Amino acid sequence: MTAGGPVPGPDGRLRCPWGLSTADYVAYHDEEWGRPVHGDDALFERLCLEAFQSGLSWITILRRREGFRAAFAGFRIAEVARFGEADRERLLLDEGIIRNRAKIDATLANARLLADWSPGALDELIWSHAPDPGTRPAPRVFGDVPAVTDESTALSKALKKRGLRFIGPTTAYALMQACGLVDDHLEGCLARGGQG
């Protein structure tokens, strides 16, 4: 086992170290992170949650994810696009989410914009930026995992060019990791390659 590489969990199986840092992370690491996500609403949810995470720890978002889903109508784009001023005020008072005015406003604006896109367009745009998996070696230690890549920078620019807000290159890369566009589970991790 390489220093800084995967570590054995309580079941003896190797995982990325962050995947064992809290009990909440174990299932997320093993069953969700890095698995392919498709569908406009599902990707809108991940896009929103990654934006809300900006400047915070992911565990903060993960622990409030059900609150976010309840507050934002399950992240169904068509429904969030119809949110008005009363909904905005409700969200700003909702203790089940991160009450950041700029992030809430960006989520509502992004939903209104995406509601006018053709079905599947968000999925197609995001997945068009997935790098060829054969071009990236498996990271051996956490330090091998980048925070930004050329692909995430291009994805961020493509989304911003179409009017989406709160999606910089680092947020775009976190989205790519979470939604399986890249597999940043460490070499030897039980979840690498969608296993687990």
Side-chain angles (χ1 to χ4, degrees):
M1 187 169 32
T2 306
V7 295
D11 58 3
R13 299 176 74 196
L14 295 176
R15 290 176 174 83
C16 300
W18 69 264
L20 292 167
S21 60
T22 72
D24 293 312
Y25 272 152
V26 176
Y28 179 70
H29 169 274
D30 290 2
E31 300 166 14
E32 281 190 68
W33 192 77
R35 302 280 175 103
V37 173
H38 284 282
D40 293 341
D41 289 343
L43 287 166
F44 175 63
E45 174 181 347
R46 301 326 191 278
L47 188 67
C48 294
L49 293 178
E50 293 295 348
F52 273 100
Q53 185 270 328
S54 181
L56 302 170
S57 168
W58 178 247
I59 195 66
T60 302
I61 303 303
L62 189 60
R63 289 178 175 160
R64 293 181 184 206
R65 185 164 58 172
E66 291 309 315
F68 275 105
R69 287 174 173 164
F72 287 98
F75 289 100
R76 290 180 293 278
I77 294 169
E79 291 185 40
V80 179
R82 290 192 295 269
F83 280 17
E85 187 57 32
D87 295 294
R88 181 175 177 272
E89 293 304 315
R90 170 184 57 80
L91 292 166
L92 288 167
L93 297 173
D94 191 332
E95 295 181 5
I97 66 169
I98 305 301
R99 295 172 291 173
N100 178 296
R101 185 178 305 274
K103 293 175 182 180
I104 289 170
D105 288 347
T107 299
L108 301 182
N110 288 347
R112 290 181 194 116
L113 186 75
L114 291 169
D116 290 334
W117 289 22
S118 60
L122 179 62
D123 188 301
E124 183 179 335
L125 175 64
I126 289 174
W127 277 91
S128 73
H129 290 81
D132 178 351
T135 63
R136 296 181 46 144
R140 294 172 50 86
V141 295
F142 189 70
D144 294 340
V145 177
V148 174
T149 63
D150 290 344
E151 293 88 358
S152 75
T153 300
L155 174 57
S156 171
K157 286 180 181 176
L159 292 167
K160 286 180 178 179
K161 182 178 178 182
R162 288 161 179 82
L164 277 88
R165 297 164 37 188
F166 241 100
I167 180 75
T170 303
T171 299
Y173 193 66
L175 174 77
M176 294 172 78
Q177 291 174 305
C179 296
L181 281 75
V182 296
D183 185 353
D184 278 342
H185 286 286
L186 302 181
E187 184 177 45
C189 172
L190 68 83
R192 175 115 190 125
Q195 306 300 307

